[in-house]
Amino acid sequence: MLGAMLQGIEISGRSYAGGWFDWLTPFTLFCGLATVCAYVLLGACWLIIKLPEELASRYYTIAKRWALALVMTILVVSAWLPLHNPIVSERWFSFPNSVLYYALPILAVFCSWQLFSSLKLHRGVRAYLFAMGLFLVSAMGFAVSTFPFLVPFALTYQQVTCT
């Protein structure tokens, strides 16, 4: 669903105009993989917090692997979206907007660095908080990419009226 929303949905008027499988693309599948990576990482960090140390220790390794997978999928999705969508590309790479928006990738790098540091030092709560931070920064990046569209690249929030 996330990938389908980010790549855009064909609508006519205010109704869906696409086919049954328009949502099924390599981009949507990759976004699904990124979402799975994020939730597995959050789950592993949660288990680190809740389990006794002797049981939690194995989840540090699991969390590191899934954190790496999440960071890699975020990089791919973040590159893929502007390469295939001129609206997103202009938003992220046109001056002066780009100066404001670059705070999000900087925050993502900071959260990633702190996440890996926390996992290396066996600090479960910090790891969980920085995993959540990375998740939220990614969501903000996607929101910035699609604003002001409610249905990306087809229907803006100004076009929606209560009737």
Side-chain angles (χ1 to χ4, degrees), residues 2 10 29 31 38 52 54 71 74 87-88 92 94 112 118 137 143:
L2 172 67
E10 185 179 341
L29 293 174
C31 286
E54 61 275 1
V71 169
I74 287 171
I87 295 170
V88 175
W92 279 97
S94 66
S112 299
S118 300
V137 167

Side-chain angles (χ1 to χ4, degrees), residues 39-77:
Y39 282 117
V40 171
L41 172 62
L42 289 173
C45 289
W46 183 256
L47 287 173
I48 288 169
I49 295 168
K50 293 298 182 181
L51 290 175
E53 183 60 36
E54 61 275 1
L55 294 175
S57 61
R58 70 173 261 172
Y59 287 99
Y60 282 102
T61 303
I62 292 169
K64 287 177 195 173
R65 290 180 186 153
W66 285 98
L68 181 61
L70 176 61
V71 169
M72 298 314 264
T73 57
I74 287 171
L75 287 171
V76 171
V77 169

Side-chain angles (χ1 to χ4, degrees), residues 127-145:
Y128 180 77
L129 292 174
F130 282 109
M132 286 292 292
L134 186 57
F135 195 88
L136 293 173
V137 167
S138 298
M140 288 190 300
F142 297 142
V144 164
S145 296

